[in-house]
């Protein structure tokens, strides 16, 4: 086997781990062993996003989510201001938390807003490992910037 040999792992289930042990012996008979654990992960296709209605958003009776694909013209999910998010809960700061499921196979960008003619966030590119958003209180060109984090669904 050469140093650029490829190993293909097939036929194991999502979230199943496979242990691969590689043993090499050089011409002098010296051995070296290395063990790797691989876990099959599925690419995320639906992401539950959360928006906390803090700051100026706290006065909104409805929070909207506007989605589109930045790579495709006319790819919006719904016309502005978008689709109403679903109320989920009050957080420990007594702020309303809303949620919405985003189809990542179709959309890569999001704006949260309070409806036509009210506040809105900057354009947000959806990123791996981020699904929680709340306003940080600052603006860019009259659009609110956000702080992000992750919440297990």
């Amino acid at each position: 086997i050469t140093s650029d040999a490829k190993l293909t792992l097939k036929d194991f289930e999502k979230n199943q781990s496979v242990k691969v042990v590689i043993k090499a012996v050089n011409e002098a008979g010296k051995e070296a062993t290395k063990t790797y654990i691989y876990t099959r992960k599925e690419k995320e296709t639906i992401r539950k996003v959360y928006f906390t209605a803090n700051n100026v958003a706290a006065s909104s009776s409805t929070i909207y989510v506007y989605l589109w694909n930045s790579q495709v013209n006319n790819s919006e999910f719904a016309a502005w201001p978008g689709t109403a998010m679903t109320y989920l809960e009050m957080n420990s700061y007594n702020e309303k938390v809303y949620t919405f499921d985003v189809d990542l196979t179709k959309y890569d960008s999001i704006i949260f807003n309070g409806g036509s003619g009210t506040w809105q966030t900057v354009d947000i590119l959806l990123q791996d490992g981020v699904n929680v958003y709340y306003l940080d209180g600052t603006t860019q060109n009259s659009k609110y910037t956000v702080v992000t984090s992750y919440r297990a669904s």
Side-chain angles (χ1 to χ4, degrees):
I1 296 179
T2 63
S3 61
D4 62 348
K6 294 182 182 177
L7 173 67
T8 303
L9 302 173
K10 294 182 179 179
D11 301 324
F12 63 103
E13 300 295 319
K14 177 178 146 182
N15 295 323
Q16 177 186 1
S17 293
V18 173
K19 181 177 179 180
V20 177
V21 179
I22 298 175
K23 182 177 181 181
V25 180
N26 69 12
E27 296 162 348
K30 185 173 180 182
E31 295 183 6
T33 302
K34 183 74 177 176
T35 302
Y36 299 91
I37 304 293
Y38 293 94
T39 303
R40 179 179 169 196
K41 300 286 185 184
E42 291 295 317
K43 183 171 177 156
E44 182 182 26
T45 58
I46 301 294
R47 179 176 304 156
K48 183 174 290 298
V49 295
Y50 301 88
F51 181 80
T52 299
N54 67 326
N55 202 296
V56 69
S59 63
S60 298
S61 59
T62 304
I63 303 296
Y64 294 89
V65 59
Y66 179 78
L67 301 164
W68 75 99
N69 186 323
S70 64
Q71 307 301 312
V72 179
N73 289 334
N74 301 315
S75 63
E76 64 187 10
F77 177 74
W80 186 262
T83 303
M85 297 183 75
T86 302
Y87 170 78
L88 178 66
E89 63 191 8
M90 294 292 279
N91 68 15
S92 60
Y93 299 104
N94 205 32
E95 299 165 325
K96 293 179 181 176
V97 178
Y98 295 83
T99 187
F100 191 83
D101 290 337
V102 177
D103 183 345
L104 297 175
T105 66
K106 296 180 181 177
Y107 308 105
D108 68 357
S109 300
I110 192 168
I111 294 173
F112 300 98
N113 67 87
S116 293
T118 65
W119 65 271
Q120 75 176 67
T121 64
V122 295
D123 296 1
I124 302 165
L125 185 63
L126 296 168
Q127 299 175 358
D128 290 339
V130 174
N131 69 347
V132 175
Y133 304 86
Y134 59 95
L135 303 179
D136 71 359
T138 61
T139 59
Q140 291 178 355
N141 300 320
S142 301
K143 297 175 183 177
Y144 285 86
T145 55
V146 295
V147 175
T148 62
S149 64
Y150 177 78
R151 174 179 172 167
S153 297

